[in-house]
Amino acid sequence: MNKTTFYELLRERILILDGATGTQLQKKGMPQGVCPEKWILENPHAILEIQGSYKEAGSDIVYAPTFGANRWKLKTFGLEDQVREINMSLVQLSREAVGRDILVAGDLSPTGEFIKPFGERAFEEAVEVYKEQVEALLEGGVDLFVIETMIDIQEARAALLAVKETTDLPVMVSLTFGEDEKTLTGTDPITAAITLQSLGADVIGCNCSTGPKDMIHILKEMKGVATVPILVKPNAGLPVVKDGELFYDLGPEEFASFIDEFTNIGVNLIGGCCGTTPEYIRLIKERTESAVPKMWLKSKISALTSARKTVFMGENMPLVIVGERINPTGKKKLQQELLDGKLSEVRRLALEQQQKGASILDVNVGMPGIDEKKVMVNVVENLSTLSELPLCIDSSSPEVIEAALRIYPGRALLNSISGEEKKLEKLLPIAAKYGAMFIALPLDDQEIPATAEGRIKVLDRILEEAKKIGYGPQDMVVDGLVMTVSADQKASLTTLGVIEYATKHLKTSSIIGLSNISFGLPERKWLNSAFLMMAMAKGLNMAIANPSSENLMELKMAGDVLIGRDENSKNYIAYFGQSKTISKSIDEKPKEENTRTKI
Amino acid sequence: MNKTTFYELLRERILILDGATGTQLQKKGMPQGVCPEKWILENPHAILEIQGSYKEAGSDIVYAPTFGANRWKLKTFGLEDQVREINMSLVQLSREAVGRDILVAGDLSPTGEFIKPFGERAFEEAVEVYKEQVEALLEGGVDLFVIETMIDIQEARAALLAVKETTDLPVMVSLTFGEDEKTLTGTDPITAAITLQSLGADVIGCNCSTGPKDMIHILKEMKGVATVPILVKPNAGLPVVKDGELFYDLGPEEFASFIDEFTNIGVNLIGGCCGTTPEYIRLIKERTESAVPKMWLKSKISALTSARKTVFMGENMPLVIVGERINPTGKKKLQQELLDGKLSEVRRLALEQQQKGASILDVNVGMPGIDEKKVMVNVVENLSTLSELPLCIDSSSPEVIEAALRIYPGRALLNSISGEEKKLEKLLPIAAKYGAMFIALPLDDQEIPATAEGRIKVLDRILEEAKKIGYGPQDMVVDGLVMTVSADQKASLTTLGVIEYATKHLKTSSIIGLSNISFGLPERKWLNSAFLMMAMAKGLNMAIANPSSENLMELKMAGDVLIGRDENSKNYIAYFGQSKTISKSIDEKPKEENTRTKI
Ligand SMILES: [Zn+2]
Ligand SMILES: [Zn+2]
Ligand SMILES: [Zn+2]
């Protein structure tokens, strides 16, 4: 099944997934503690009956019972050498059960190990573990992939990359959220959705957990930002033990009473997880028969994520301050530490900038005598858990950028891609592969154009090229390319013109690095502050600056109020009325209504 | 001669004025100390011969010898009861001398008294003295008027109003500047030109003084801002006594060597003053025969004047701060003083605001229990000499406004004219009569429109009505009408939209009152400052504010640099590099090139 056909199907109707496999196998006699994959292969009738009855109940897709069939999981049963055989055989069983009328999804699930930055295992090891399974599932003949019950965004990313680097078949990613609406490693639904769809998930969603009711809000949040279809596969409520037997407390009818709400929210694929049976699936089928599927968003989302937070850009969103200080240029102490492989100064600068109100951290470790790639990866891994702020990966080396984007457990900002032929050719595909937003620098092989018109030409070109590989204007951030006003009297007007063009015509975000403007003049803070406000009036969305700069945050808070980016002056009052710690207030996610109208 | 015919003539060629009358009369035997007007009437052949030979030499216009024939001057010879007879007879003599082929101008000159605010005589008395002479000159049959050798802008205004309130004949106003390029009461050529052409002078220029050379720069300055033709009538150099006789040191040929430069500058009428003879006029005629007259500016000038200074508005001009503090609202001390007829607090506020960087002073004395008109006139007269800053006349009473504009010795800003039917009907003609710039308030009889679109409709209407009575967009200042953002979330965006429309479409100036925006929110200074910078980015030209407000002037100085209103950051560096006293630097007149390209 190719993606186009899959999406055509999803535009036509709501697709029905299968119900529980694990709990059904237990009913069929599978004992506790055995390796399920091995038991299935030894007792093929069980899975043939289960999946046959799901097909009969109306499932469009069954998940091959390969949930635990990755090398690390199988190793606990001493079966790590049989990854290929087990996966191939299990897929063939599923095919036998349902034939070619409905789809068989290769099922990838947690490895049971934690990978960096949340654990010790290397990211690349996990990718390899999943790749091995993906290749076997492909050999077995799956129609598509599902990565399900994921509790760590980084492991989900590893699995997703493993699929995407191996095949073009559709891939769905489904996470499990706790009662706090976060995954085990702390990712919320919006952040997960943006991170995974940016990285290339064709469907996103949630499964397992405590039942349909608690998923409603999660699905609403996901749908608000989803540029792909969404899926839900809840448990049949909570497990309860009755007369020594394990039950799930939500009966089929009760479970099915949530289906209308799911279709109203705009869920595109519905099935059941633990505790559900063919009866549940039959009712889902019944309830969705006449439902018209709701489409996913056509425009991309202007947002950056860390593993634990999303920062939105856009017309109604607060100005985003990108903390500029993690950069060794002119910082002797930081330079020495980076040379010595120490990170305490990086960590201090990160926390200080977050505390002062930065919403994004720029990370630049370029300096002589350093293995930039190694240091960059180390810093990014460290900051990914230390700070909640999304990162801006700032390097002139495409290799360093790719290494950082690959291991970063969120959607980063790439700083930057210019109109230089080689940069465009190399960096755009890298950015697109990892789904990063990127800063477009309006200069090309010939020059840094001195006029707004000249810069606009370069920007048009970059956006055109970006669109060819799937980007939208929402993914691009135009750099106003601030030059020094004391050297070129028109430098500020040129930049303001570029920002206005980005806002009104390109419909991209825009960014400026503040401090250049005032170079060589006295009392630079006034020029920097004034310029920031003027740029905001032209639609500026982001500024690379030192959030500790005098006046900067105060004026930013005021500026947000004045151009409709701070509803009811809530953030402003919070900032000035109580304390000056604003990390909470400024990057709150937008209300769902806002998110929708924005797009 | 009506104005249209007069201007047609001036478009065709350079007009030739006459030469000296006084020095020529002395050559014809007029003794020192006599009343020249009386001597002429007793010795008519002298003037018949002098003016006859000027006509023969090529003069297009001779000045009737009524220079001293106003009541106050004649009183020194006991002739104050013969104003009518003397003026009529002198005009008839000139007519006899030159016939109907060339023009006879009724000549009004200084009364010899000083009027308020520079002297003790009431302004209205001077107007009456000139009116009496104007009526007699009209009866005598003059073709046009010339107000010449004026050394006090306020007396020139009185004479000009006297002519304009009596007749529609063309009127030329010519001042005498000292070596410092100022009139005796301190008015520079640019300020004089703007003030007088705004008040309705049909020609402006300079005469007498030290000779043609020193007039070159004065004429260049006038031409840079002149929306009417300009005239020059220099002395034949400096007076020297040789062998007991009075000579002027510049011979005819030497004098004539300046004529090319005059026509290059764009002088439209040329003659000679003291010491010149028909030979000088013959040479002027010769040298201008083939010259093509340079036109005057088609667009109006966005500038306000006091008696001693001009403040320009416009795209390349620094933001103009209008000091808001002379307003009794909420100021107990000021209220009490105004009730008591004292002005020390007004004077203190004026000087303090000037020192802090205001370029204009708003004057509002409206409060219960006060004779607003009387107090306003008193305050305006006081401030006219105390401070160099132009005034903004701020009242809700058309009567008060008219009284203030009438006696104000400059070009004031009227605050304000709304779209309300009655306000438009009453105030626009008053503003136009006195040549004031005016603030247009975007509200009408129905409402204060909440949207930019609604306000734009009102502003379009006001400008349309203003154009009907001779105004251009350069004369109007759009009020952004700042409402409170804490009450209406969109208030700031609405105002920014109105400012942008004024800048881009109406091509008017714009102004905001800063402090409303932040009402009801904490730390208001940040909102005020941020809003000012945003408004500047949209093209704002003026702000009504307290120049002592924290951050305000610092950000204004920075803002001017950033949007091309402070060439080479000169003002910024002066402000921060040396002292914080900027009254000099911020309202420097623009370079001549700038003035021209702006128009
Ligand atoms: Zn489950
Ligand atoms: Zn919730
Ligand atoms: Zn003279």
Coordinates of all heavy atoms in Angstrom, one line a residue, chain A residues 379-407:
Chain A
V379 N 26.5 18.6 23.6 CA 25.7 19.7 24.2 C 24.2 19.6 24.0 O 23.4 19.8 24.9 CB 26.2 21.1 23.6 CG1 25.3 22.2 23.9 CG2 27.7 21.4 24.0
V380 N 23.9 19.2 22.8 CA 22.4 19.0 22.5 C 21.8 17.9 23.4 O 20.7 18.1 23.9 CB 22.2 18.7 21.0 CG1 20.8 18.2 20.7 CG2 22.6 19.9 20.1
E381 N 22.5 16.8 23.6 CA 22.0 15.8 24.5 C 21.8 16.3 25.9 O 20.8 16.0 26.5 CB 22.9 14.6 24.4 CG 22.6 13.6 23.2 CD 23.6 12.5 23.1 OE1 24.6 12.5 23.8 OE2 23.3 11.6 22.2
N382 N 22.8 17.0 26.3 CA 22.8 17.6 27.7 C 21.6 18.5 27.9 O 20.8 18.5 28.8 CB 24.1 18.3 28.0 CG 24.9 17.5 28.9 OD1 24.8 17.6 30.1 ND2 25.8 16.6 28.3
L383 N 21.5 19.5 26.9 CA 20.5 20.5 27.0 C 19.1 19.9 26.9 O 18.1 20.5 27.4 CB 20.7 21.6 26.0 CG 22.0 22.5 26.3 CD1 22.0 23.6 25.2 CD2 22.0 23.0 27.7
S384 N 18.9 18.8 26.2 CA 17.6 18.2 25.9 C 17.0 17.8 27.2 O 15.7 17.7 27.3 CB 17.8 17.0 25.0 OG 18.3 17.4 23.8
T385 N 17.7 17.4 28.2 CA 17.1 17.0 29.5 C 17.2 18.2 30.5 O 16.4 18.3 31.4 CB 17.8 15.8 30.0 OG1 19.2 16.0 30.1 CG2 17.4 14.6 29.2
L386 N 18.3 19.0 30.4 CA 18.4 20.0 31.4 C 17.4 21.1 31.3 O 16.8 21.6 32.3 CB 19.8 20.7 31.2 CG 20.1 21.9 32.1 CD1 20.4 21.4 33.5 CD2 21.2 22.7 31.6
S387 N 17.0 21.5 30.1 CA 16.1 22.6 29.8 C 14.9 22.2 29.0 O 15.0 21.3 28.2 CB 16.9 23.8 29.1 OG 15.9 24.6 28.5
E388 N 13.8 22.8 29.3 CA 12.6 22.5 28.5 C 12.6 23.2 27.1 O 11.7 23.0 26.3 CB 11.4 22.9 29.2 CG 11.1 22.0 30.4 CD 9.7 22.2 31.0 OE1 9.1 23.3 30.6 OE2 9.2 21.4 31.7
L389 N 13.5 24.2 27.0 CA 13.4 25.0 25.8 C 13.9 24.3 24.5 O 14.9 23.7 24.5 CB 14.3 26.3 26.0 CG 13.9 27.1 27.2 CD1 14.7 28.4 27.1 CD2 12.5 27.4 27.3
P390 N 13.1 24.5 23.4 CA 13.6 24.0 22.1 C 14.9 24.6 21.7 O 15.2 25.7 22.2 CB 12.5 24.4 21.2 CG 11.3 24.5 22.0 CD 11.8 25.0 23.3
L391 N 15.7 23.9 20.9 CA 17.0 24.4 20.5 C 17.0 24.9 19.1 O 16.3 24.4 18.2 CB 18.0 23.3 20.7 CG 18.2 22.7 22.1 CD1 19.3 21.6 22.1 CD2 18.4 23.8 23.1
C392 N 17.9 25.8 18.9 CA 18.2 26.3 17.6 C 19.7 25.9 17.3 O 20.6 26.2 18.0 CB 18.1 27.9 17.6 SG 18.6 28.7 16.1
I393 N 19.8 25.0 16.3 CA 21.1 24.4 15.9 C 21.8 25.3 15.0 O 21.4 25.5 13.8 CB 20.9 23.0 15.3 CG1 20.0 22.1 16.2 CG2 22.3 22.4 15.0 CD1 20.6 21.8 17.6
D394 N 22.9 25.9 15.5 CA 23.6 27.0 14.8 C 25.0 26.6 14.4 O 25.9 26.5 15.3 CB 23.6 28.2 15.8 CG 24.2 29.4 15.2 OD1 24.7 29.4 14.0 OD2 24.2 30.5 15.9
S395 N 25.2 26.3 13.2 CA 26.6 25.9 12.7 C 26.7 26.1 11.3 O 25.7 26.2 10.5 CB 26.8 24.4 13.0 OG 28.0 23.9 12.4
S396 N 28.0 26.3 10.8 CA 28.2 26.5 9.4 C 28.5 25.2 8.7 O 28.6 25.1 7.5 CB 29.4 27.5 9.2 OG 30.5 27.0 9.8
S397 N 28.6 24.1 9.5 CA 28.9 22.8 8.9 C 27.6 21.9 8.7 O 27.0 21.6 9.7 CB 29.9 22.1 9.8 OG 29.8 20.7 9.6
P398 N 27.3 21.6 7.5 CA 26.1 20.7 7.3 C 26.3 19.4 8.1 O 25.3 18.9 8.5 CB 26.2 20.5 5.8 CG 26.9 21.6 5.2 CD 27.9 22.0 6.2
E399 N 27.5 18.9 8.2 CA 27.7 17.6 8.9 C 27.3 17.7 10.4 O 26.6 16.9 11.0 CB 29.1 17.2 8.8 CG 29.4 15.7 8.9 CD 30.9 15.5 9.1 OE1 31.7 16.4 8.8 OE2 31.2 14.4 9.6
V400 N 27.7 18.8 11.0 CA 27.4 19.1 12.4 C 25.9 19.3 12.6 O 25.3 18.7 13.5 CB 28.2 20.4 12.9 CG1 27.7 20.8 14.3 CG2 29.7 20.1 12.9
I401 N 25.3 20.0 11.6 CA 23.9 20.2 11.7 C 23.1 18.9 11.6 O 22.2 18.6 12.4 CB 23.4 21.2 10.6 CG1 23.9 22.6 11.0 CG2 21.9 21.1 10.4 CD1 23.6 23.7 9.9
E402 N 23.5 18.1 10.7 CA 22.8 16.8 10.5 C 22.9 15.9 11.8 O 21.9 15.4 12.2 CB 23.3 16.0 9.3 CG 22.6 14.7 9.2 CD 22.5 14.1 7.8 OE1 23.4 14.4 7.0 OE2 21.6 13.3 7.6
A403 N 24.1 15.9 12.3 CA 24.3 15.1 13.5 C 23.4 15.5 14.7 O 22.8 14.8 15.4 CB 25.8 15.1 13.9
A404 N 23.3 16.9 14.8 CA 22.5 17.4 15.9 C 21.0 17.2 15.7 O 20.3 16.8 16.6 CB 22.8 18.9 16.0
L405 N 20.6 17.4 14.5 CA 19.2 17.3 14.2 C 18.8 15.8 14.4 O 17.7 15.5 14.9 CB 18.8 17.7 12.7 CG 18.9 19.2 12.4 CD1 18.5 19.4 11.0 CD2 18.1 20.0 13.4
R406 N 19.7 14.9 14.1 CA 19.3 13.5 14.1 C 19.1 13.0 15.6 O 18.1 12.3 15.8 CB 20.5 12.6 13.5 CG 20.1 11.2 13.4 CD 21.1 10.4 12.6 NE 20.8 9.0 12.5 CZ 20.0 8.5 11.6 NH1 19.5 9.2 10.6 NH2 19.7 7.2 11.6
I407 N 19.9 13.5 16.5 CA 19.7 13.0 17.9 C 18.9 14.0 18.7 O 18.7 13.7 19.9 CB 21.1 12.8 18.6 CG1 22.0 14.1 18.5 CG2 21.8 11.7 17.9 CD1 21.9 14.9 19.7

